[in-house]
Amino acid sequence: MSTSSDEGRPTPEWEFLAALGGDDAVRSGRVSLAFGTALTAAAQALRSGAGLEAALIQVERQVALAATAERGVFLNAVERFEGDTAFTTSHLSAGLCDLHLMAFELEQRLGRRERAKQHLLRAVATGVAHPLPKRHLVGLYVASGDYRAAVDALTNVVDDESEDATRRAMALTQLGDELAPLSPEQSVVSFKRAHERDPEGVGGVLAEYRLRALDRAKPSDEEIASQLDTGLRLVLDGRRDAAIELLVPVLAWSLYSPRAWFGLGMAYRAALPYFLLPPERLSDTQQKDLSKAVQALRMAADLTPSAPTAHYEIALAELALGHRSTALASMNRYLALRPDDATALAYTGLIHFLLGDFRAAASATLKAQEQEPENVISNHMLLTLWKLKERQ
């Protein structure tokens, strides 16, 4: 342990650290941080409901140690220290963010909301690209009645995240729905910002509907369910416009219904007649509708990832749009769930061919032929590959 030459005791800096962390906090002039140990203890306390205060003390001790190291007091020592429990300065901000987030949860459980809020603000202040602290902060603002701050905070969150436009719009639409009975003014602001973030997409369509329906009461669950069933029947009957007209309100009031998302996606998908091979050209309207179909079908797939059909339809729509790599990824997800689908295998061969991977194209096509010799797509691909071989 480092000591001052004139007093024979720890320097003020080491004394500070030793007082916080005990003698084991300082080893041969090195700062020893144990984020993982503190976070694990906190997680266990939250699960069991016992030892919350003790876990909080551990977390706050690590916060103090990390904050001291971050200020550069022991910069060189931290950077030289190697081992499982050592952190360089590059770890400190991320570690502080996790520690403050865990302290927030502990303080919440202990009923100390203001202290919990302070930890969230400090987690955000670390500058780490972690959306969870900001999303928790939105909830605190809503609970405290600061609705404008809630809308502003969520806007910052969705703009910082790498999520697609539909999810950005959905998050703001959901907040607008939550604020509707509490603050109609801020509810409108949230819906408008949702529309701004996905003006040409399905998220914007839902937000626009809610703006038009501001004075309408939310339908009952029975009415929403009945409207959903009717909308899905209209999709099956090929009446896409009528189906969209019914399914948009269903989703505007029930944002996380996988059946409604799938139905809306298939309704937009119907803008293009069912095709065996991707068309060479799409009209602007077809492109916009197929893009909306992909957005809606992705929501359905995310909500029910083990349901294969959404992945298949996404692949076909992406293929029609010319997005070959994403089409292949979606078709592979489908095949992981339905490995014996000959048509999907044939489409996989087609996509590989369009991507220039002729070996993979031949492999997938032959598998499709083995399973279904009369498959139209695989026969088309065999002919194409044969012509290519002849030219070589």
Side-chain angles (χ1 to χ4, degrees):
M1 181 180 295
S2 176
T3 59
S4 60
S5 58
D6 57 338
E7 296 183 23
R9 62 179 180 80
T11 63
E13 291 85 359
W14 292 127
E15 186 177 64
F16 173 65
L17 285 174
L20 285 171
D23 290 339
D24 62 341
V26 180
R27 296 174 185 165
S28 302
R30 298 166 176 172
V31 179
S32 177
L33 302 175
F35 292 174
T37 302
L39 292 170
T40 299
Q44 290 173 346
L46 287 167
R47 282 196 297 269
S48 67
L52 295 172
E53 287 284 7
L56 183 60
I57 289 171
Q58 285 193 59
V59 169
E60 290 183 333
R61 177 181 297 154
Q62 292 299 313
V63 167
L65 288 168
T68 302
E70 190 176 44
R71 289 197 297 271
V73 176
F74 300 106
L75 177 62
N76 294 331
V78 173
E79 288 183 333
R80 286 199 306 269
F81 190 28
E82 297 178 356
D84 293 339
T85 60
F87 288 77
T88 66
T89 51
S90 63
H91 296 92
L92 292 175
S93 293
L96 277 169
C97 182
D98 288 342
L99 289 166
H100 282 302
L101 187 56
M102 191 63 78
F104 157 76
E105 295 190 33
L106 290 166
E107 293 284 17
Q108 280 277 90
R109 186 71 67 85
L110 290 165
R112 300 192 289 245
R113 291 188 176 181
E114 189 55 38
R115 291 181 62 172
K117 179 180 176 182
Q118 292 306 311
H119 277 293
L120 270 188
L121 292 171
R122 289 169 188 159
V124 172
T126 62
V128 174
H130 191 334
L132 196 55
K134 295 178 184 178
R135 287 190 177 273
H136 279 314
L137 198 56
V138 173
L140 283 184
Y141 283 138
V142 172
S144 64
D146 195 347
Y147 305 125
R148 180 175 179 177
V151 174
D152 289 342
L154 185 58
T155 302
N156 290 333
V157 171
V158 299
D159 287 346
D160 287 344
E161 291 177 3
S162 59
E163 294 179 349
D164 62 32
T166 303
R167 285 172 176 75
R168 290 185 185 131
M170 273 190 59
L172 285 161
T173 298
Q174 185 177 18
L175 179 60
D177 182 59
E178 186 177 350
L179 294 180
L182 303 171
S183 174
E185 179 183 355
Q186 291 305 316
S187 176
V188 169
V189 172
S190 197
F191 288 138
K192 286 182 176 178
R193 291 184 183 178
H195 184 266
E196 289 168 359
R197 275 144 188 82
D198 192 23
E200 298 295 327
V202 68
V205 170
L206 299 181
E208 185 179 27
Y209 174 82
R210 288 304 304 270
L211 285 168
R212 295 199 309 268
L214 288 173
D215 297 329
R216 301 181 194 175
K218 180 178 179 179
S220 67
D221 291 343
E222 291 77 12
E223 290 173 316
I224 292 174
S226 174
Q227 195 164 324
L228 172 58
D229 290 340
T230 302
L232 294 175
R233 283 198 298 272
L234 290 172
V235 172
L236 293 174
D237 292 342
R239 298 169 61 187
R240 67 175 297 271
D241 292 336
I244 291 170
E245 189 175 345
L246 278 179
L247 292 173
V248 165
V250 168
L251 277 169
W253 296 110
S254 182
L255 284 173
Y256 295 97
S257 167
R259 292 178 67 220
W261 279 114
F262 183 79
L264 185 64
M266 293 304 294
Y268 281 120
R269 157 83 169 73
L272 191 68
Y274 196 84
F275 52 87
L276 290 175
L277 298 174
E280 294 183 2
R281 295 177 183 174
L282 295 172
S283 68
D284 288 344
T285 299
Q286 286 175 325
Q287 286 186 15
K288 290 179 180 178
D289 281 350
L290 276 181
S291 294
K292 290 176 183 174
V294 169
Q295 291 174 330
L297 290 167
R298 284 201 185 284
M299 286 302 307
D302 287 349
L303 290 167
T304 53
S306 60
T309 309
H311 299 295
Y312 181 82
E313 294 296 343
I314 291 168
L316 294 186
E318 292 280 35
L319 181 57
L321 288 166
H323 305 157
R324 295 163 184 171
S325 295
T326 50
L328 181 60
S330 291
M331 195 61 82
N332 284 337
R333 291 189 189 99
Y334 173 77
L335 284 169
L337 299 166
R338 295 278 177 84
D340 298 329
D341 189 317
T343 300
L345 283 168
Y347 269 123
T348 302
L350 172 60
I351 300 168
H352 279 303
F353 178 82
L354 294 173
L355 288 169
D357 189 344
F358 303 129
R359 186 184 297 275
S363 175
T365 301
L366 289 173
K367 286 182 181 177
Q369 274 283 296
E370 289 174 4
Q371 293 186 22
E372 190 178 310
E374 302 300 320
N375 188 276
V376 176
I377 300 295
S378 62
N379 278 299
H380 169 83
M381 279 303 305
L382 280 177
L383 179 61
T384 302
L385 290 167
W386 180 258
K387 289 179 178 178
L388 178 66
K389 184 177 181 181
E390 284 188 328
R391 287 201 298 269
Q392 294 174 343

